Amino acid sequence: MLPLSDKWLNFLQSQPETGMTYQIGTIRLRDGREFPQAVIIQSTIISDVRGHKEIPFVEDDITRIEITHYKWDWKKER
């Protein structure tokens, strides 16, 4: 899990939910990498970043979060 600081809180709260209590979004990093399907619950990126068993970045790497709602069966891929 990667709890996000208040830096992202207002933005995430202003975005619609993808489902009950969660959002799915693209995470963009300083080095140009993108992670197009990350699950965010209450301003925390949970360990469900599609294609990764662990979160492959830290908050300081993040430059942008875009809520996209691109769903997949993330619970099944755990």
Side-chain angles (χ1 to χ4, degrees), residues 39-50:
V39 179
I40 304 165
I41 297 176
Q42 298 178 350
S43 300
T44 298
I45 299 173
I46 63 170
S47 59
D48 297 292
V49 175
R50 188 160 194 186

Side-chain angles (χ1 to χ4, degrees), residues 1-63:
M1 297 174 91
L2 177 62
L4 298 172
S5 67
D6 290 345
K7 172 182 175 180
W8 299 105
L9 183 62
N10 288 336
F11 167 74
L12 291 169
Q13 287 180 339
S14 73
Q15 300 299 301
E17 293 178 336
T18 301
M20 292 291 289
T21 71
Y22 75 95
Q23 298 162 306
I24 295 176
T26 295
I27 308 296
R28 291 189 173 85
L29 306 184
R30 293 184 197 289
D31 65 7
R33 290 183 294 159
E34 287 189 358
F35 297 87
Q37 292 173 307
V39 179
I40 304 165
I41 297 176
Q42 298 178 350
S43 300
T44 298
I45 299 173
I46 63 170
S47 59
D48 297 292
V49 175
R50 188 160 194 186
H52 300 273
K53 292 187 183 222
E54 295 182 18
I55 299 171
F57 51 83
V58 296
E59 182 179 4
D60 287 343
D61 296 335
I62 301 170
T63 59

